[in-house]
Amino acid sequence: MSADWLHEAGIGEERAILVSGGRILSARVCWGEKVRPGLVAQARLVTRHAGSRRGVVRFDDGAEALVDQLPREATEGVSLTVRVTRAAIAERGRTKLPVVRPAPGEDPRPAPSLREELEATGASVKSVAITGRAFADNGWDELAEQAVTGEIAFAGGSIIVSPTPAMTLIDIDGTLPPLKLALSAVDVIADALHRLDIGGSVGIDFPTLHEKKDRQHVDKALGDALIDWQGERTAMNGFGFVHLVSRLERASLVARYTRFPVAAAARALLRNAERVSEPGALLLTAHPRVLAAILPIWETELASRTGRTIRRKEDPALALSGGFAQGVPL
């Protein structure tokens, strides 16, 4: 069965899903950050670590990034053309700076849009309307909930995906016997890596399996499930731990949504507001923090897209994700 990328250009957020048979196979989200992979720009070298090819550069707008593979002659204060290879990764309590590399001879250019990134891989991308149901009909709401909570249930158990400063950890819990629980989780984990756009260092904590043949059984099943995944993995150790490593370019959906729940809720509210069919002004009702996160430029764009007057109503009793939009008399 063929798979196709669907793309939505929302306010403050681009979304794309690879779908087949009414199910999301992979997903990507972009919040329009300026410093993200593909950006080529001038930056000043503000720090060079002694005895290494690494340092810190600063862009004209003040944003900083880690730089690697510096030429020997590059000294602090020099201006360099650099290309971003990894976006900033926000974690609990801190944010990892973006990563760049010198790009001598390349012309400055902005980072590609999410759609442009996908099309550059040769993928066919179809634009769908925010007001349609393409994303909802293929399971976007369920996927977004999984990204917010980090929990994915399956028959007899569940996995919990937890971003940490060192790696993304995947824990398995359930009532099945250890071997059966581990095997039942394998396909769920493989799907989660794609569906939640998880890259970088990933640790999987399987139930402890005392028999080597059982661990080898799970290793084989995991290898089969990850046949289309690009990266390296270790064999399961005696404590049930498996380590995966792949290229890291951006924050996963679960890292983004758990680190910035207010920002995610604000974008979701704007998306829902565009789909209101009731006539009149658009009333956005949400927790005060969510309404405060809606930038004036976003509200202006919502008014332009819908042709409506926008009103706000704060409700501190609502959960962050409980905001809603409706048409009200002018």
Side-chain angles (χ1 to χ4, degrees), residues 144-152 159-163 169 196 254 258:
E145 179 68 16
Q146 292 171 352
V148 170
T149 64
E151 182 173 5
I152 304 173
I159 67 170
I160 300 294
V161 183
S162 304
L169 291 176
L196 296 174
V254 68
T258 57

Side-chain angles (χ1 to χ4, degrees), residues 228-245:
D228 61 345
W229 175 79
Q230 302 295 316
E232 299 180 4
R233 66 184 177 92
T234 65
M236 182 187 293
N237 67 21
F239 300 99
F241 191 80
V242 174
H243 189 195
L244 310 179
V245 180

Side-chain angles (χ1 to χ4, degrees), residues 129-307:
I130 296 290
T131 53
R133 290 196 52 83
F135 270 56
D137 288 346
N138 285 282
W140 172 263
D141 293 338
E142 178 189 18
L143 179 63
E145 179 68 16
Q146 292 171 352
V148 170
T149 64
E151 182 173 5
I152 304 173
F154 58 89
S158 65
I159 67 170
I160 300 294
V161 183
S162 304
T164 76
M167 63 177 64
T168 299
L169 291 176
I170 299 178
D171 185 51
I172 301 162
D173 190 26
T175 58
L176 299 173
L179 177 58
K180 189 172 183 180
L181 180 62
L183 291 172
S184 296
V186 163
D187 286 338
V188 181
I189 292 169
D191 284 347
L193 295 177
H194 293 292
R195 285 166 52 84
L196 296 174
D197 196 22
I198 299 171
S201 183
V202 179
I204 308 173
D205 188 17
F206 283 100
T208 300
L209 301 174
H210 299 290
E211 298 292 333
K212 184 176 182 180
K213 62 180 178 58
D214 290 343
R215 297 197 295 271
Q216 291 174 334
H217 190 179
V218 176
D219 280 335
K220 173 64 165 57
L222 184 61
D224 292 342
L226 296 176
I227 191 68
D228 61 345
W229 175 79
Q230 302 295 316
E232 299 180 4
R233 66 184 177 92
T234 65
M236 182 187 293
N237 67 21
F239 300 99
F241 191 80
V242 174
H243 189 195
L244 310 179
V245 180
S246 64
R247 186 174 179 178
L248 178 63
E249 293 186 344
R250 57 194 169 269
S252 68
L253 268 65
V254 68
R256 184 186 294 274
Y257 282 30
T258 57
R259 181 66 177 85
F260 300 110
V262 175
R267 288 167 167 84
L269 177 58
L270 293 171
R271 178 173 178 263
N272 292 334
E274 286 196 67
R275 299 172 64 179
V276 171
S277 59
E278 303 158 339
L282 266 180
L283 176 63
L284 309 182
T285 303
H287 190 282
R289 292 174 61 197
V290 174
L291 292 177
I294 297 177
L295 302 178
I297 191 173
W298 293 351
E299 186 169 316
T300 299
E301 185 175 354
L302 178 61
S304 175
R305 289 190 181 201
T306 61

Side-chain angles (χ1 to χ4, degrees), residues 6-10 13-17 114-115 125-136 140 271 275:
L6 304 181
H7 174 266
E8 277 188 352
E13 179 181 57
E14 283 187 276
R15 294 168 290 266
I17 52 175
L114 176 53
R115 183 187 181 108
V125 184
K126 178 184 177 182
S127 292
V128 297
I130 296 290
T131 53
R133 290 196 52 83
F135 270 56
W140 172 263
R271 178 173 178 263
R275 299 172 64 179

